[in-house]
Amino acid sequence: MPSIYRCQIELHDSLYFATREIGRLYETEPIIHNYALCYALGLVDSAIYSTTVAEEDSYRYFCPEQVPKYEQHLTALNQQGIYVTPGRSISHSSTLNTWKYANNNYHVEMEKTQKNIPSFGRTKEIAPESKFEFFIISEKSLKLAKWIRLGKWMSKAELTTEEMGNGDNRKNGDFIFPYLLNPLDVMFSHQVLSYDVVNMPPVSLIQNIKIRGQHYQFENLRIPACMEYRFRAN
C-alpha cells in the first residue's frame, strides 16, 4: 500500500520564477508546479530514491544545455511509484523589486548615443515566511531533507512532512479536491467534471476541481489515486 504524506514549505528567502510576463513585469504566481517540486525535493535522478536516468539525460548542478527533460526525468519516478502534487499557498505575501542592467562590452567604439534610457524590469516575488502545502504519494517510505531550494534564485525553504497513513482506505466516486492538480496526470485515470485553469508553464494546472474516480479518503480530505506523470494529451 502506498504511503501518503502531507508536506508544508515555509520560505526563508523570497521566491521568484516567471509565471507570466506583463511588459517589463515578471510575476510569480503563489503556486509551485509539481515538476518544480520534484527537482527541489531531490527526487530526480537520485540513487537514494532509485530514480537515476541515462547518462545523456543526467540532472546535475551544471547542465551543459538548458533543455528541459521532464519526460526522461519524471518517468523514473513513475517506475518507483512516487508522485508529488502541485503546491498551493496556505498564506503568502508579495514583494515588488526593480532591477536594471547595462551593456558591458569589453570593447566599445565611442559613438554618440541617441538616447539615455536605462534597461530595467520589475519582479513580483513571493515574500519570506509564506507557506505552501502539497502531497506526496509513494509506494516506498520516503525520508526527505529538511531544507530545500526553490525558484530562479535557489531560495532557501524549510520542509516539514507528516505521514497521513497508507492507501488501504481507497474509495470510488465523485468528490471535490480543494488543492491543485496537473490535468495531464489525472485525466487518463479519472473523469474531471469541473475545474478552473491556472495558466503557468510548462503545463497549466487546475483548481476548484470536481472529479470522479478512485481516491484515498482521510476524514474530510480526498486525494486522487492512480496519478502518474504524463506528457501528452493522447
Side-chain angles (χ1 to χ4, degrees):
M1 293 292 179
S3 297
I4 293 96
Y5 301 87
R6 185 196 297 268
C7 304
Q8 288 189 6
I9 290 173
E10 180 176 358
L11 300 182
H12 285 240
D13 296 318
S14 61
L15 174 63
Y16 166 68
F17 52 86
T19 307
R20 64 178 63 87
E21 300 178 12
I22 308 171
R24 294 181 182 269
L25 174 64
Y26 301 86
E27 185 173 0
T28 305
E29 186 81 15
I31 289 169
I32 306 178
H33 204 286
N34 62 332
Y35 291 1
L37 283 172
C38 289
Y39 288 92
L41 294 170
L43 298 173
V44 172
D45 197 15
S46 168
I48 296 174
Y49 304 110
S50 302
T51 59
T52 52
V53 297
E55 184 63 30
E56 62 268 22
D57 299 323
S58 63
Y59 177 74
R60 299 291 183 268
Y61 180 79
F62 171 75
C63 297
E65 55 182 0
Q66 299 299 313
V67 178
K69 295 186 176 182
Y70 301 123
E71 184 168 0
Q72 295 89 329
H73 293 162
L74 300 180
T75 297
L77 273 68
N78 285 342
Q79 294 166 353
Q80 295 303 316
I82 301 172
Y83 186 81
V84 183
T85 69
R88 74 164 185 178
S89 166
I90 300 174
S91 63
H92 75 277
S93 59
S94 299
T95 61
L96 194 62
N97 298 313
T98 300
W99 49 266
K100 298 179 181 180
Y101 64 88
N103 185 6
N104 295 322
N105 293 332
Y106 289 103
H107 171 75
V108 178
E109 293 184 7
M110 298 302 294
E111 297 179 356
K112 185 178 180 180
T113 58
Q114 300 297 318
K115 294 182 179 180
N116 184 22
I117 301 176
S119 294
F120 70 95
R122 288 176 140 186
T123 58
K124 185 178 180 181
E125 304 176 9
I126 308 301
E129 300 186 1
S130 298
K131 295 182 179 180
F132 295 84
E133 187 174 42
F134 61 96
F135 300 93
I136 302 176
I137 303 169
S138 176
E139 294 291 340
K140 300 178 181 179
S141 178
L142 297 179
K143 187 174 182 181
L144 300 168
K146 181 179 179 181
W147 299 98
I148 62 174
R149 299 276 177 178
L150 288 165
K152 294 290 187 181
W153 309 148
M154 297 297 286
S155 306
K156 186 178 182 180
E158 184 177 4
L159 174 69
T160 57
T161 304
E162 170 198 357
E163 186 169 357
M164 300 173 62
N166 55 42
D168 60 358
N169 53 348
R170 186 179 293 196
K171 309 290 184 181
N172 200 354
D174 293 6
F175 63 101
I176 302 294
F177 189 64
Y179 291 79
L180 292 147
L181 288 176
N182 185 324
L184 285 180
D185 301 343
V186 77
M187 64 188 295
F188 295 95
S189 55
H190 295 73
Q191 183 178 358
V192 182
L193 303 174
S194 63
Y195 58 89
D196 296 327
V197 176
V198 180
N199 290 312
M200 63 185 305
V203 178
S204 293
L205 304 176
I206 55 176
Q207 63 183 354
N208 302 323
I209 308 155
K210 184 177 181 181
I211 189 170
R212 176 180 298 153
Q214 295 190 36
H215 56 274
Y216 306 110
Q217 186 167 347
F218 299 94
E219 297 180 355
N220 297 325
L221 176 62
R222 300 178 182 182
I223 303 173
C226 308
M227 290 186 291
E228 64 178 12
Y229 301 101
R230 293 179 180 268
F231 310 96
R232 298 176 182 82
N234 51 36

